[in-house]
Amino acid sequence: MNNTPKHWHHLPPDEVSVLLESDVTQGLEPLEITRRQEHFGFNRLTPKKGKSPLVLFLLQFHQPLVYILLAAAVITFALQEWVDSGVIFGVVLINAIIGYIEESKALKAIEALARTLDGAATVIRAGKKQKIAAAELVPGDLVLLQSGDRVPADLRLLQIRELHIDESALTGESVPTHKQIEQLSLETVLADRSNMAYSSTLVTYGTATGIVVATGDDTEIGHINTLIASADVLATPLTRKINHFSKILLWVILVLAGLTFLAGRLHGESLLDSFMASVALAVGAIPEGLPAAMTIMLAIGVNKMAHRHAIIRKMPAVETLGSTTIICSDKTGTITQNQMTVQHIYAGGKRYALFGTGYTPAGEITLDASKINPGTQPVLLECLKAGLLCNDSRLIQNDGQWLIEGDPTEGALIVAAAKAGLRQDVLERDFPRIDALPFESQHQYMATLHVLDTATALIYVKGSVESILARCETICGNDLQPQLLNKECIHQEVEAMAAQGLRILAFARKLQPASNQTVNHGDVAEGLCFLGLQAMMDPPRQEAIAAISACQKAGIQVKMITGDHAATAAAIARQIGLAGAVENKTEHFAVNGHTLAMLSDQELIKTAQQAVVFARVAPEQKLRLVEALQAKGHVVAMTGDGVNDAPALRQANIGVAMGLSGTEVAKEAADMVLTDDNFATIEAAVEEGRAVYDNLVKFITWTLPTNIGEGLLVFVAVFFGLTLPITPVQILWINMTTAVLLGLMLAFERKEPGIMARPPRQPEAPILTRELGFRIGLVGLMLLTGAFVFFEWALAQGKSIETARTLAVNMFVFGELFYLFNCRSLRYSMFKLGAFSNRWLLLGVTTMTLLQIFFTYSPTMNTLFGSAPLDMIEWGFILSGGLLVYGIVGIDKWLRRRAENGKDS
């Protein structure tokens, strides 16, 4: 016997047992089980062999910006500046530790998937029924299933009784699948293989016997495990841009440091002095605070999102959300409530509408948009009674939440009846059940026999429209009296409901003598009186509709990817406003998985761009769709809650899992978990992500002029053979203190006006625009000029070199301080945002001012940093220089706003 993959669903049960060399009544013998366990191994998923913890940790240092910082740490260590060297290395080490922890967490998805196979299985071996560990199963084992069991391996079903299996975690299908045992066509897609039971799915109703056809890695969930392992973990837009920026900065610093060294030697400086000048330039040009600022700003974003019900598992995901261009959303439980609800009832020639949400047994029933009293509509009540009594499920309340025990479709019927004031316990007492015919796929109906009075019994039947209409000869009128049945009229109503994506059940009844205490298929083969139709669907979340609208206004496309039927998915998509996303709503609106499977990669890329709804999609197709969208340069966010979503969640630029209904596998594969399972939280997270990115750009725009100014100051001084206006240790003081006390305060800036009214950033757009590049250069030039002019002026006045350098240092610090107020908004004046709206910034400015006074006047600081006290005239120069920076940048922003407004008009 071998376990060569077979199209098991396409084979009849007898042939399956022959191929697997198993007895369908006795099961496998002990010696054969031992042989197969040795051959196939245990029923467990094989974890992917990853990098060792040490390699994973060392890779955190493999970044250009980190190389620069490590160089700075080594250089300052060589200068015997132990504190500065320790601080810089500490920043690098903390960043590495955080990155290592986050990446380690991300790789736990496969471990979580393996845990879903844990548990027990009931089998028949050597003719005896026994319970074993699921890991001990082998192909050919006979497995018994009952309600509440988790399917332990992939099974071909041999015998069933009313078997319903919840496959939503695997296929995305929102309603438990009705199973049967007949062979299916070869082309049948995974979600429609009704004669199979797949590992990790849940039996919600009925019993069955199946034969194991695949275990461990060979199961469908094993294939998903392979997809998760092979999915790429993509760099975020921010990390890509920072890495690119760092590489450029690295080469610029090395070139300028080399030129500085050569210039020093050409001016006759010693090797040591020339080298120290190069060190000063390198230290000045390195933005030591950037990695720490990035980490802290992202951490603040994580904290803000947590308060808005979004838990971030990987910090760069905060920024990625802000640059998202497409959200691929699963339907079931994400956009919809995952609670089947009866929306319309057709009875007595009238169509009623039902209102209310989920399983809560409250809501109005209307006719022609007017609320009615159901007690005045006998045929409506009778239709609802049929749904309530011909029913094996229960509506229960647990911790204030209404839940269904049993089939969600039957649950919807119970809730609909409750809206008309009908109680299940009361009706079951008044009309006790005598007998029942359970639902069977070959008959497509369920029937129950009830006591009506001493002389009469009543049969209620529910099932598919085709099966019920074929057995009806009459229709119940408003007075419940039989009338001639017009089947064409019923079919027209069914077509209208089906066009809305509704699932439709038909109901009928039949009276018979009370002496007949049983019901069989012959009793319901003919002579039924048609009661009506109940049409239901898993309704969309109202808050999801508003969130999708907000995303579309923000220029973000929303696409629905689901395992559900195309008609149902398309109807939901239209309800939530996705229909307006394509011009040709017929050709490019919805595509099913069968069509996708036939497309080449290039055709798929085109279709992925155009279509909005992707239905009956297999797990590997979800992954292909995400890759197709990324191939066109999109930043893709993928939402989902099932095992089937995990590979795509991992491949997406940002994976978003549902915290309440999501599987552990999905949560581990995701970058972000929604604690309230609410699509609206994604819109809030996108808003926060954009704000975080804005603040990061503000920080970079603020910090780079200092680095440019300091680097050029050293270069110009050496090039012209002048004394260095600032020493390396003073440069470190400026960079480290201002980054923490001034720059980081930008992380607490509020969101800019209209942040969700602008389109997403282009994924390949640079961090800094030309406008910001000009501003950075302008401010850097002003800081360079001010520091150099003040330094030379002080020396010309006969001041000491320490005093002149203290002037230059304070020009940089207070120039940055005043420029910080410009950077609170890169477009508007700080007064538009509110001059005192960022209290943390005011605290930072105050602390920095006091620290600079300490730097200038403290004898200890004078000794450590080579500073000296300043008089009031010198402070006047410094403050005037800072105000000049603020004024010139403010005028530049005003002129640009005016030019933009002129273009708009």
Side-chain angles (χ1 to χ4, degrees):
M1 182 261 169
N2 62 65
N3 132 338
T4 303
K6 304 283 184 185
H7 298 291
W8 302 108
H9 63 280
H10 184 53
L11 302 176
D14 293 343
E15 188 175 340
V16 172
S17 62
V18 170
L19 285 169
L20 293 171
E21 299 175 15
S22 180
D23 190 305
V24 295
T25 57
Q26 298 295 308
L28 297 173
E29 295 297 323
L31 291 177
E32 181 63 22
I33 292 167
T34 302
R35 279 194 292 270
R36 294 191 185 193
Q37 284 179 340
E38 291 173 356
H39 180 73
F40 295 110
F42 285 105
N43 180 31
R44 293 194 182 114
L45 298 180
T46 304
K48 181 185 177 184
K49 192 171 182 179
K51 302 180 182 74
S52 69
L54 178 61
V55 171
L56 204 60
F57 178 71
L58 292 177
L59 284 174
Q60 306 304 315
F61 297 91
H62 185 52
Q63 302 172 41
L65 196 60
V66 173
Y67 292 153
I68 298 173
L69 288 172
L70 286 173
V74 171
I75 292 166
T76 50
F77 183 84
L79 291 171
Q80 298 185 358
E81 298 296 334
W82 317 119
V83 174
D84 298 307
S85 179
V87 168
I88 297 171
F89 185 74
V91 167
V92 174
L93 189 62
I94 289 169
N95 284 335
I97 291 171
I98 291 172
Y100 170 76
I101 291 171
E102 293 300 325
E103 193 165 342
S104 298
K105 284 181 181 178
L107 296 174
K108 287 183 180 176
I110 296 170
E111 295 175 25
L113 192 55
R115 287 197 297 272
T116 66
L117 286 177
D118 292 345
T122 303
V123 299
I124 296 175
R125 287 180 168 178
K128 294 181 180 179
K129 179 180 175 182
Q130 53 187 289
K131 183 168 280 191
I132 64 169
E136 297 176 11
L137 286 173
V138 294
D141 257 325
L142 282 184
V143 176
L144 304 179
L145 298 175
Q146 63 181 9
S147 181
D149 285 350
R150 190 170 292 280
V151 180
D154 284 2
L155 311 177
R156 173 61 165 92
L157 297 172
L158 304 177
Q159 298 174 353
I160 63 166
R161 181 174 175 82
E162 305 176 58
L163 184 66
H164 296 185
I165 296 182
D166 179 359
E167 297 180 332
S168 60
L170 184 65
T171 66
E173 172 65 63
S174 57
V175 174
T177 305
H178 295 192
K179 294 297 184 178
Q180 53 89 35
I181 62 172
E182 300 304 320
Q183 69 185 94
L184 300 169
S185 67
L186 186 64
E187 296 79 17
T188 306
V189 296
L190 180 70
D192 292 331
R193 293 175 189 171
S194 55
N195 57 11
M196 299 289 295
Y198 291 107
S199 178
S200 84
T201 59
L202 186 67
V203 179
T204 60
Y205 194 76
T207 60
T209 301
I211 186 168
V212 175
V213 297
T215 59
D217 292 337
D218 294 322
T219 63
E220 288 298 328
I221 198 174
H223 298 157
I224 292 176
N225 177 51
T226 305
L227 291 174
I228 295 175
S230 63
D232 297 328
V233 180
L234 299 181
T236 71
L238 178 66
T239 54
R240 285 201 303 268
K241 291 170 187 174
I242 290 294
N243 284 339
H244 180 67
F245 170 74
S246 301
K247 287 175 183 175
I248 294 173
L249 188 60
L250 176 64
W251 286 109
V252 169
I253 289 172
L254 290 175
V255 169
L256 287 178
L259 290 174
T260 301
F261 180 81
L262 288 174
R265 294 294 292 153
L266 289 173
H267 282 288
E269 299 285 345
S270 67
L271 279 172
L272 180 61
D273 288 343
S274 297
F275 176 73
M276 291 308 297
S278 298
V279 166
L281 183 142
V283 170
I286 293 170
E288 291 92 346
L290 183 55
M294 252 179 59
T295 301
I296 293 170
M297 284 185 171
L298 290 173
I300 291 170
V302 167
N303 186 52
K304 286 181 179 179
M305 288 187 183
H307 285 96
R308 301 185 76 169
H309 307 292
I311 304 299
I312 301 297
R313 297 185 65 255
K314 303 167 189 173
M315 281 202 293
V318 176
E319 179 276 331
T320 311
L321 273 166
S323 57
T324 298
T325 59
I326 290 180
I327 297 175
C328 294
S329 176
D330 187 50
K331 178 184 73 67
T332 306
T334 307
I335 289 175
T336 64
Q337 300 172 20
N338 204 15
Q339 296 183 340
M340 292 299 290
T341 307
V342 174
Q343 309 258 307
H344 296 280
I345 296 176
Y346 177 80
K350 301 174 183 177
R351 185 168 177 177
Y352 302 87
L354 284 75
F355 296 88
T357 54
Y359 293 142
T360 304
E364 295 182 350
I365 300 178
T366 66
L367 177 63
D368 297 329
S370 299
K371 182 180 177 181
I372 62 158
N373 177 7
T376 64
Q377 310 288 324
V379 72
L380 170 64
L381 279 181
E382 195 66 12
C383 185
L384 290 167
K385 278 183 187 177
L388 190 59
L389 290 172
C390 191
N391 197 310
D392 288 324
S393 298
R394 288 287 181 271
L395 176 66
I396 62 169
Q397 192 172 24
N398 186 14
D399 295 330
Q401 190 173 15
W402 291 98
L403 305 170
I404 292 296
E405 284 186 347
D407 188 279
T409 300
E410 290 192 330
L413 301 176
I414 298 171
V415 173
K419 292 174 182 178
L422 300 177
R423 287 177 51 184
Q424 193 173 24
D425 56 342
V426 173
L427 282 184
E428 287 178 346
R429 184 191 65 212
D430 294 343
F431 304 95
R433 183 188 292 190
I434 308 169
D435 195 18
L437 284 173
F439 180 91
E440 293 177 351
S441 56
Q442 63 265 39
H443 296 298
Q444 292 291 310
Y445 63 79
M446 172 184 178
T448 54
L449 178 64
H450 302 267
V451 175
L452 185 60
D453 53 42
T454 56
T456 314
L458 177 61
I459 300 173
Y460 282 123
V461 189
K462 77 161 188 266
S464 68
V465 176
E466 294 79 9
S467 66
I468 299 300
L469 277 180
R471 291 164 171 78
C472 291
E473 297 172 358
T474 58
I475 184 171
C476 289
N478 287 324
D479 55 359
L480 297 182
Q481 293 304 307
Q483 299 175 4
L484 185 64
L485 174 63
N486 183 346
K487 293 186 180 182
E488 183 59 34
C489 181
I490 303 298
H491 281 300
Q492 289 176 3
E493 193 67 32
V494 168
E495 288 176 8
M497 289 178 171
Q500 299 176 47
L502 297 169
R503 299 175 187 272
I504 306 159
L505 284 179
F507 299 83
R509 73 173 197 170
K510 183 179 182 180
L511 299 175
Q512 69 178 28
S515 58
N516 192 344
Q517 295 289 297
T518 61
V519 61
N520 56 53
H521 292 294
D523 295 328
V524 296
E526 59 183 6
L528 299 185
C529 187
F530 187 81
L531 288 172
L533 307 168
Q534 293 197 44
M536 62 193 71
M537 76 184 322
D538 181 10
R541 298 172 180 264
Q542 290 303 308
E543 59 271 26
I545 297 174
I548 288 170
S549 175
C551 286
Q552 289 171 336
K553 288 177 182 175
I556 301 168
Q557 297 179 51
V558 179
K559 296 180 184 289
M560 182 190 292
I561 302 179
T562 178
D564 214 337
H565 292 280
T568 305
I572 291 288
R574 290 187 175 92
Q575 286 187 37
I576 61 177
L578 293 185
V582 288
E583 294 179 6
N584 188 331
K585 298 180 179 60
T586 303
E587 184 181 352
H588 297 306
F589 185 60
V591 180
N592 62 41
H594 181 71
T595 302
L596 290 178
M598 308 299 289
L599 299 178
S600 67
D601 287 346
Q602 288 303 315
E603 290 171 333
L604 181 66
I605 290 171
K606 182 179 179 181
T607 301
Q609 286 276 97
Q610 295 174 335
V612 174
V613 176
F614 302 90
R616 306 306 273 173
V617 174
E620 60 272 15
Q621 290 177 325
K622 291 189 177 187
L623 186 60
R624 275 189 79 202
L625 281 168
V626 172
E627 290 171 334
L629 291 168
Q630 289 171 336
K632 294 296 289 185
H634 286 291
V635 177
V636 181
M638 168 73 186
T639 75
D641 57 2
V643 174
N644 62 325
D645 297 321
L649 287 174
R650 186 166 169 81
Q651 173 66 33
N653 301 87
I654 175 163
V656 185
M658 304 297 113
L660 295 177
S661 62
T663 59
E664 194 65 26
V665 181
K667 294 175 192 175
E668 291 289 348
D671 304 280
M672 181 174 82
V673 179
L674 306 184
T675 60
D676 59 355
D677 282 16
N678 195 334
F679 188 92
T681 303
I682 299 173
E683 186 265 335
V686 168
E687 189 177 359
E688 289 294 345
R690 290 188 174 192
V692 168
Y693 186 84
D694 280 357
N695 289 343
L696 277 169
V697 173
K698 290 173 187 177
F699 177 85
I700 293 170
T701 305
W702 170 83
T703 195
L704 286 186
T706 305
N707 300 115
I708 291 172
E710 290 168 344
L712 290 178
L713 186 68
V714 172
F715 181 77
V716 169
V718 174
F719 190 81
F720 289 104
L722 305 172
T723 306
L724 287 180
I726 303 178
T727 64
V729 72
Q730 289 172 340
I731 289 172
L732 276 171
W733 165 265
I734 296 169
N735 291 357
M736 298 306 291
T737 56
T738 56
V740 173
L741 294 175
L742 298 182
L744 277 180
M745 300 305 112
L746 291 171
F748 299 98
E749 279 300 328
R750 296 178 180 178
K751 291 181 280 290
E752 298 248 351
I755 195 170
M756 288 299 285
R758 65 194 191 205
R761 299 186 309 278
Q762 291 299 317
E764 300 309 318
I767 296 177
L768 301 173
T769 62
R770 288 185 179 180
E771 174 189 335
L772 295 181
F774 171 81
R775 189 175 301 166
I776 288 167
L778 176 65
V779 175
L781 189 62
M782 286 192 287
L783 292 175
L784 163 69
T785 304
F788 209 90
V789 167
F790 291 166
F791 175 77
E792 292 297 330
W793 173 83
L795 292 180
Q797 295 296 312
K799 305 281 185 178
S800 68
I801 187 71
E802 291 78 13
T803 301
R805 282 176 170 163
T806 304
L807 258 173
V809 168
N810 277 299
M811 177 61 223
F812 268 99
V813 170
F814 283 92
E816 283 187 273
L817 188 149
F818 280 96
Y819 178 50
L820 182 70
F821 290 101
N822 293 119
C823 290
R824 289 190 59 199
S825 172
L826 299 177
R827 174 179 169 81
Y828 303 105
S829 162
M830 72 169 184
F831 297 105
K832 183 177 178 65
L833 304 178
F836 304 103
S837 60
N838 188 343
R839 294 180 181 178
W840 285 101
L841 184 137
L842 297 177
L843 177 64
V845 165
T846 303
T847 306
M848 188 70 237
T849 302
L850 294 174
L851 201 58
Q852 217 40 42
I853 291 172
F854 181 67
F855 171 89
T856 305
Y857 294 104
S858 166
T860 302
M861 300 297 282
N862 295 158
T863 303
L864 287 174
F865 289 96
S867 58
L870 301 178
D871 58 32
M872 295 304 293
I873 294 175
E874 290 159 346
W875 278 113
F877 282 142
I878 293 165
L879 295 177
S880 298
L883 281 169
L884 185 64
V885 170
Y886 175 79
I888 290 175
V889 174
I891 292 170
D892 174 60
K893 289 202 292 185
W894 176 77
L895 289 172
R896 291 183 185 276
R897 282 199 309 275
R898 187 178 177 187
E900 287 177 12
N901 292 336
K903 287 181 183 178
D904 294 339
S905 60

